[in-house]
Structures are given as structure tokens and as C-alpha cells.
Amino acid sequence: MAATGSTTVQAPETACAKPNDDREIALVRHDWKRAETEALYGLPFSDLVFRAQTTHRLHFDPNRVETASLLSIKTGGCPEDCGYCSQSVHYETGLKATRLMDKADVIATAQRAKDAGAERFCMAAAWRNPKDRDLDRVCEMVSAVKRLGMETCVTLGMLTPPQAERLRDAGLDFYNHNIDTSPEHYDKIITTRTLQDRIDTLDHVRGAGIRVCCGGIIGMGEQATDRLGMLVLLANMTVHPESVPINLWNEVKGVPVNLIAERPDPIDVVRLVAVARIMMPQSVVRLSAGRQYMTDELQALCFLAGANSIFIGDVLLTTRNPHRDRDVELLGRLGIKSNLDQTQLAAGQPAPAHENVQTG
């Protein structure tokens, strides 16, 4: 897949490149307009990144990155027709469907993830919506992972309010349910579940007192304006998602998105991260799927623009992810702290040097 061209959204001549004062930067808003979001995105690159980094420093340690791990606890056989997904029954992707994993295997995997430096453990099941008997087992997994001292997250498809409450009672910290793309582009990607279905599940999760992890995927044939439309929808929620994953489209054999997908221009990716940081200043912005396509330099620019979370581990559901050693080495070169440092120290190994590190 070839990279797309340079940024297509330009700032109006009257766009203000700088906020009035620190109070404006720190303001958490829920009334973003498309035009002002496009104006932000179209700022000169240095102005945009400066504003995003300034915002980031008001709410987070700029030199720390959160680490999470993701496990597919039930793979394949999903009845949804999400055009990007290897787990849909609608497409011949070569993926074999599996049953829900045993709790003991899930807990063992979670312990290994913790030992490797993960702070949060995310469990994903390829369902349209969970059956109550399956939810019983997932709740047991959530409680057991919680007892390991990790934050817990699941993504199980659509939920009813009682199901969300059961997950809360089991100790669930986060529920992941992405909106995937803009309202205008959504029907080109999925037809079996509406955008409103997704929003309803997010409302049920919020109503149960569970924190929300919600973002989308870029590179699925959408325009820059679609990416910004996705951010506007997220940023205008009554409460911003506490975690906002930004996924780069992973090429998957046999799915229809392959016909329209184009890998985003790297500078456009940084711009999107910066705008997400400005619009949702208190949210964790995660570089999620697709990091294996990103150079070290691109990841560094994304961290500078306000990204402050990554998935660790060699596999994310059914796609590849950078090896842990690469993450340790990169974060060390950048002087960014993470739980990866602590696990190395616990194992009696020196933490990666934060200065004068050279690659081989």
C-alpha cells in the first residue's frame, strides 16, 4: 500500500495559531466544531506540535508512557461484517475460529504480560454481543486479572446495561468499543452494526461507572476530514474517553478494506495525534495497531505530539506488533520512562541508558 499525499486540510487564513493563554490550553471542551478542528490540523507543523506538547505537559508527565497488553480470548467466527477485520465470518482470511479460552490460560498470559512490563491487560472476544453464560466466564477472568494488580480492560462487542453492571462488579476498569471512523465514512466500512449501536454501548458502559477506551482506525480509504470527524465525535462526548487508541490499518488477507486502504502519510499521523491531544487533553492517547509500520522517528514525533501509551507484546489479536526489545531500546533513547524499565530492574538487569545510546 502506498502512502497518501501530504496533508489535504488547510488552515483558513484567519485561523489563530496560538491560544490566548494557558487557561485556553488547559480547558476541557465538549463543543468542538469541524471548522476549528480543521484549522488546528492545518496549522504550521511546529505551531501545532508546540501547542499539543504544551497541552500534554499540563496534564501528564511528558516523559512517561503507559504500557498495555492485549490478548484475544476468543478468536474468529464474528457475525459482524467490519470490512477491516480478519475475524469476520463474511470473509475468507485463513483465520481459524476458536472457543473462549480457559481462565487459567488467560491468567497465566496476564501474569507473563505483567512480568514483561504491562500495566493494563486487555481481553478481546470476537462477538457481536456476549451471551450471559460467556459473560460469567469473562467476569471471572476480569476478577482474577484484577487480583494480579493490573488494570483490566475488555472488548466484547455490544453490551446491555445489566451486562455492563456485571462487568463493573467483577472489577473491570475499562471497556474498549471503538467508533472506528467518522459518521460519514462509517457505512463504507460496516453495515451489520450502526454507529448509534456503538454509542449506545458506550452509554451503557458509562452508566455502569466503567471508564471508556474508544478511538478508531486510520488508513481505510477515508479522507483527513473523516479522521477529524472521528475526533470531533469523541471530543464532544459528555465525558471524553479516558483512553483514545489510534490504530493504523493493518493489511489483512481477504477483507474488502484492502481495495480502498492507503497508508497515511507519516506527518499526517503526527498531526492527528496532536489534534487528539489538544481536543481531549486529559485522555491517554495510545499508539495501537500498526506500530510495526512506524519508524522510530515517527513514533518519537507522535510521543512529542502527545501520545502516551503503547501496546507491548509481539501480537495484537491477529496482527503483528513491535518486539518488546525494540520498545525498550527506543524508549531508552528518548529518555521516556515506562514499566518496561521497572521490570528490567526487577530482573536484575540495568534499565536502558537514557543518553548516548547507539543502535547497532
Side-chain angles (χ1 to χ4, degrees):
M1 294 181 293
T4 59
S6 60
T7 303
T8 57
V9 175
Q10 300 296 326
E13 298 250 341
T14 57
C16 179
K18 297 180 181 179
N20 293 329
D21 55 30
D22 284 350
R23 289 173 297 177
E24 183 178 336
I25 294 176
L27 187 64
V28 178
R29 295 176 48 192
H30 306 269
D31 59 351
W32 290 92
K33 308 298 183 190
R34 283 286 188 102
E36 65 178 321
T37 304
E38 292 176 7
L40 266 181
Y41 184 86
L43 287 174
F45 187 76
S46 60
D47 290 347
L48 174 60
V49 173
F50 176 79
R51 180 165 176 181
Q53 176 64 198
T54 303
T55 302
H56 189 53
R57 287 172 177 268
L58 289 173
H59 299 279
F60 294 98
D61 179 348
N63 297 309
R64 191 177 195 289
V65 163
E66 172 195 271
T67 51
S69 181
L70 176 63
L71 174 67
S72 178
I73 60 174
K74 192 277 176 188
T75 302
C78 182
E80 304 281 17
D81 70 351
C82 304
Y84 53 80
C85 187
S86 62
Q87 303 194 63
S88 171
V89 297
H90 295 266
Y91 315 121
E92 294 293 334
T93 65
L95 186 73
K96 182 179 179 180
T98 67
R99 295 178 180 274
L100 184 63
M101 288 178 64
D102 290 335
K103 183 179 78 170
D105 293 334
V106 172
I107 304 314
T109 304
Q111 183 64 62
R112 289 194 296 271
K114 181 181 180 181
D115 293 344
E119 304 167 54
R120 185 183 304 176
F121 190 68
C122 307
M123 295 163 275
W127 291 320
R128 175 178 170 83
N129 50 278
K131 296 180 174 64
D132 285 341
R133 66 175 180 273
D134 292 326
L135 194 64
D136 291 339
R137 296 175 61 191
V138 173
C139 286
E140 292 176 2
M141 296 173 190
V142 168
S143 297
V145 172
K146 189 77 171 176
R147 288 193 291 271
L148 295 178
M150 304 181 78
E151 288 187 328
T152 54
C153 178
V154 298
T155 178
L156 313 172
M158 295 184 291
L159 294 179
T160 64
Q163 288 176 324
E165 290 166 4
R166 290 178 60 195
L167 287 165
R168 175 203 62 205
D169 293 343
L172 186 66
D173 296 302
F174 291 86
Y175 194 82
N176 168 257
H177 202 57
N178 291 334
I179 59 171
D180 287 343
T181 188
S182 70
E184 293 80 7
H185 194 62
Y186 185 89
D187 289 346
K188 298 180 179 67
I189 305 299
I190 305 155
T191 66
T192 53
R193 185 193 317 183
T194 68
L195 182 57
Q196 188 59 51
D197 289 334
R198 292 180 183 268
I199 292 171
D200 289 345
T201 287
L202 293 171
D203 287 343
H204 300 333
V205 169
R206 278 280 182 222
I210 299 169
R211 285 171 283 178
V212 165
C213 176
C214 185
I217 308 168
I218 62 175
M220 299 191 297
E222 78 285 344
Q223 301 299 310
T225 50
D226 290 307
R227 298 168 193 164
L228 296 176
M230 177 182 72
L231 294 186
V232 169
L233 177 55
L234 295 172
N236 286 346
M237 291 178 174
T238 304
V239 179
H240 292 163
E242 284 82 0
S243 292
V244 179
I246 295 178
N247 299 273
L248 299 186
W249 157 242
N250 275 280
E251 187 170 0
V252 174
K253 173 188 173 183
V255 298
V257 162
N258 285 333
L259 302 176
I260 59 174
E262 290 184 289
R263 195 162 300 152
D265 175 80
I267 298 300
D268 289 353
V269 175
V270 182
R271 286 184 176 276
L272 193 72
V273 169
V275 173
R277 169 51 63 219
I278 293 166
M279 295 175 71
M280 292 170 281
Q282 296 178 333
S283 302
V284 169
V285 177
R286 179 180 299 127
L287 301 181
S288 296
R291 253 193 334 119
Q292 77 274 16
Y293 299 130
M294 299 174 72
T295 64
D296 289 354
E297 293 80 6
L298 175 54
Q299 291 188 70
L301 283 172
C302 287
F303 295 139
L304 185 65
N308 59 340
S309 178
I310 59 172
F311 275 122
I312 63 171
D314 296 345
V315 177
L316 300 181
L317 299 184
T318 63
T319 58
R320 292 180 295 113
N321 196 50
H323 193 276
R324 179 184 183 277
D325 288 348
R326 177 187 169 190
D327 290 333
V328 169
E329 193 271 342
L330 173 60
L331 296 178
R333 288 161 61 201
L334 297 176
I336 293 178
K337 300 181 293 293
S338 74
N339 254 28
L340 298 177
D341 294 350
Q342 299 305 312
T343 55
Q344 284 206 326
L345 291 172
Q349 304 172 26
H354 286 176
E355 293 180 350
N356 300 323
V357 175
Q358 300 183 40
T359 58

